Amino acid sequence: MATTEQKVDPSILGAIKADHKLKHVDTSEKNPLPSMEDLTQEKNHQQFLDGVSTFDKSTFHHAETKERVILPDTSTLAQEKTMHNISQFDKSGLKKAETVEKKVLPNSEDIGQEKKETELRKSIGEFSKDNLKHATTNEKNTLPPKDAIEEEKKQKEFENSIQRFPKGSLKKTDYKEKTCLPSKEDIEAEKSGAA
């Protein structure tokens, strides 16, 4: 019995068995069929169209349209009548009036202030920089000296050590209260000294 390797051309078989640098590809199956929601929606739409086309018009009742004419009220009519009378109005009864145009002029304070502003703007624009003197900026160090910083660090460390002090390492002590009373001789000496 002959094997498959003997039947296949060795060059083709070598090309098939050779190491190919292929990338792995995930195949995703696409479903061209509509979803259940699409089918339900299309079915409902079709039923709606069938219902409209096969609707029995004999079930309708005959209806008569009544046109209502809304007449204007008396105030609207009176206003309209006065509008017609405007064109026939007698202008000869009117008095002649002249329109006086008032010009408000600025007072002397406003004029003076405006002059000052104008002169100031002009002086700023024409200012000569030749008269300016060169100035050097002295940078002042407002930080505390190194010794003060070190002293403050030591103070902070001391305060922290007090706060972190382990109270459990302290020993319990008993104390006795002693009352020292003066002796008889001291009392006698004090009495004789007071007398």
Side-chain angles (χ1 to χ4, degrees):
M1 196 191 259
T3 61
T4 55
E5 291 183 10
Q6 293 173 348
K7 292 180 185 177
V8 180
D9 184 20
S11 62
I12 296 173
L13 190 58
I16 292 171
K17 287 184 175 181
D19 186 26
H20 300 286
K21 294 181 180 177
L22 300 176
K23 294 180 182 176
H24 180 70
V25 177
D26 288 329
T27 56
S28 58
E29 187 176 330
K30 294 184 180 177
N31 187 2
L33 298 175
S35 67
M36 190 65 161
E37 292 174 0
D38 295 337
L39 290 173
T40 307
Q41 187 177 3
E42 190 173 335
K43 187 176 179 183
N44 290 342
H45 183 66
Q46 191 61 42
Q47 287 175 352
F48 176 72
L49 292 176
D50 291 343
V52 169
S53 61
T54 59
F55 185 74
D56 185 16
K57 298 173 188 172
S58 63
T59 59
F60 282 147
H61 297 290
H62 181 71
E64 288 186 26
T65 306
K66 293 181 180 178
E67 190 173 326
R68 293 185 179 178
V69 179
I70 299 172
L71 297 173
D73 59 348
T74 54
S75 63
T76 309
L77 289 173
Q79 187 179 7
E80 199 170 312
K81 283 180 183 177
T82 57
M83 298 291 269
H84 289 297
N85 292 339
I86 288 174
S87 61
Q88 300 166 358
F89 183 74
D90 184 21
K91 299 174 189 172
S92 62
L94 295 175
K95 295 179 183 176
K96 185 170 181 171
E98 287 187 31
T99 304
V100 179
E101 190 175 324
K102 294 182 180 178
K103 292 184 181 178
V104 180
L105 297 174
N107 59 21
S108 58
E109 291 176 10
D110 295 337
I111 293 170
Q113 188 172 353
E114 191 173 340
K115 276 184 180 179
K116 284 180 185 177
E117 287 179 13
T118 307
E119 288 173 5
L120 179 65
R121 286 185 186 142
K122 188 176 179 183
S123 66
I124 290 171
E126 296 172 354
F127 183 74
S128 175
K129 297 175 186 174
D130 299 334
N131 298 334
L132 295 176
K133 294 179 183 176
H134 181 71
T136 56
T137 306
N138 292 331
E139 189 174 326
K140 293 182 180 178
N141 188 1
T142 56
L143 296 174
K146 192 172 185 179
D147 297 339
I149 293 172
E150 290 298 323
E151 187 66 34
E152 190 176 342
K153 279 184 183 177
K154 286 179 184 176
Q155 182 67 25
K156 291 264 186 197
E157 286 175 8
F158 178 70
E159 289 173 4
N160 289 338
S161 68
I162 290 172
Q163 290 175 355
R164 291 184 304 215
F165 184 77
K167 296 175 186 174
S169 64
L170 296 174
K171 294 178 182 175
K172 186 174 180 180
T173 58
D174 292 328
Y175 63 93
K176 292 180 182 178
E177 191 174 321
K178 293 182 180 179
T179 307
C180 296
L181 296 174
S183 64
K184 211 174 193 181
E185 294 93 23
D186 294 335
I187 297 171
E188 288 299 322
E190 194 174 318
K191 281 183 183 178
S192 63

